[in-house]
Amino acid sequence: MTLETWFRTIGLDAEATNYAGRFNQAAIPGDETQLLDLGLTRDDLRQMGVKAGHFQTILDGIGNIERDGTNLADDRKDFVRRMFAVAISVGFAGRLVQMNWIKGSQFVWPTATEWIVLLRLVVGILVVVSGWEWYHRDIRVRPLKHPWRFYIDIAVVITTILFLFASDKEEVWLSSLVLIFALYLLWDAVSALEFRTTAAQAQIWSAFATNAIWFGFSSSCSSREATSPSQPVFLSFWQRFYCALRADSESRRRFRSGAF
């Protein structure tokens, strides 16, 4: 918002136009978020002709910008980062240590069922790590200044715990995978609405297209398991995994070539 509007929001309506003009004369940018980097003091405000009674109001307003903006976004990001560490320790490690070949007093080779569970855990870690890489790329340019994507992040983390821990239950595991990519799509849609006036739209919709491919892939695996539970769905999972990789690669190629 403009400085004049910002002065009105902190209760200085009568002096909003005057103070905005004085700040502009002092070569201060016209966006209130830039005030965070200036480190203004009472002496600075006095030299710009601000009334003494308004010093603390302005300094408190700048402090509120910091709490509501950059710092809060960083705090949300840090919280999500810690939650992902919990998801891996609870979901991945929690399932791993329950296998007989680990918890037994003597080493035994994993059973056929445990090999399937291990493969699902490997796929799960690949999904989590790749999602984390994309998340960090996106969050640098689209910080969590508003709460909705943060709430979606928490839902993703909770679903990730279920996804990893349920690797011994194929139906729950596949359903959790579908839900993860559905939440990714929702995250991208909210991001597109939040940053609709920025130059990031192409990148956002490229990510949306990629996540839509993976959502369709995981949904097809889940639906196949539901309709044909007696058939070897895990082999079909890898066949679809390969097809989804090719489709993902094609969407990235089109994005780089400007086709999106």
Side-chain angles (χ1 to χ4, degrees):
M1 67 182 75
T2 64
L3 283 178
E4 181 175 348
T5 302
W6 178 74
F7 281 121
R8 296 185 189 281
T9 63
I10 62 174
L12 301 179
D13 299 79
E15 298 289 344
T17 303
N18 178 34
Y19 285 168
R22 291 180 181 275
F23 273 51
N24 289 333
Q25 290 175 6
I28 293 177
D31 183 353
E32 90 284 355
T33 58
Q34 303 298 316
L35 299 176
L36 295 172
D37 302 323
L38 299 179
L40 293 175
T41 65
R42 289 173 176 267
D43 289 337
D44 295 327
L45 297 176
R46 185 178 296 107
Q47 291 176 7
M48 286 188 287
V50 174
K51 296 179 180 179
H54 294 162
F55 289 172
Q56 196 59 46
T57 301
I58 294 174
L59 294 176
D60 287 345
I62 294 174
N64 287 333
I65 294 173
E66 187 172 4
R67 286 192 294 273
D68 295 338
T70 305
N71 281 5
L72 183 54
D74 289 341
D75 289 344
R76 287 169 174 159
K77 177 182 175 181
D78 184 63
F79 183 81
V80 173
R81 182 188 295 115
R82 294 172 187 271
M83 286 287 288
F84 262 103
V86 171
I88 292 176
S89 63
V90 172
F92 180 83
R95 172 53 53 198
L96 195 64
V97 298
Q98 291 189 9
M99 295 185 180
N100 291 326
W101 64 279
I102 287 183
K103 71 178 182 180
S105 58
Q106 294 181 341
F107 174 78
V108 292
W109 286 104
T111 64
T113 300
E114 287 179 334
W115 277 117
I116 295 296
V117 173
L118 283 172
L119 286 173
R120 291 186 191 134
L121 282 174
V122 170
V123 172
I125 286 297
L126 288 175
V127 170
V128 172
V129 171
S130 61
W132 188 239
E133 287 289 326
W134 278 61
Y135 178 78
H136 270 280
R137 181 207 67 177
D138 293 343
I139 213 67
R140 280 196 296 268
V141 294
R142 297 190 293 279
L144 299 171
K145 292 186 177 181
H146 299 284
W148 296 112
R149 286 183 298 137
F150 174 64
Y151 298 152
I152 297 172
D153 288 338
I154 300 304
V156 169
V157 172
I158 294 172
T159 308
T160 298
I161 295 175
L162 180 63
F163 172 57
L164 292 173
F165 196 77
S167 55
D168 62 332
K169 299 176 179 65
E170 186 169 74
E171 184 177 357
V172 178
W173 184 75
L174 287 171
S175 298
S176 302
L177 183 61
V178 172
L179 182 55
I180 286 173
F181 284 110
L183 290 169
Y184 284 173
L185 287 173
L186 181 60
W187 197 94
D188 288 332
V190 173
S191 185
L193 291 174
E194 186 177 337
F195 295 90
R196 58 183 177 273
T197 59
T198 70
Q201 285 289 305
Q203 187 183 56
I204 293 172
W205 289 113
S206 173
F208 185 91
T210 299
N211 286 325
I213 291 170
W214 287 107
F215 174 76
F217 156 69
S218 56
S219 297
S220 67
C221 291
S222 181
S223 62
R224 185 181 187 280
E225 196 279 337
T227 56
S228 306
S230 62
Q231 298 184 23
V233 67
F234 206 74
L235 293 178
S236 178
F237 176 91
W238 287 108
Q239 293 168 357
R240 286 177 168 84
F241 186 79
Y242 173 73
C243 294
L245 279 177
R246 292 195 61 182
D248 179 33
S249 176
E250 176 64 16
S251 71
R252 292 170 187 258
R253 184 194 65 77
R254 292 182 62 195
F255 171 65
R256 289 193 296 267
S257 65
F260 278 118

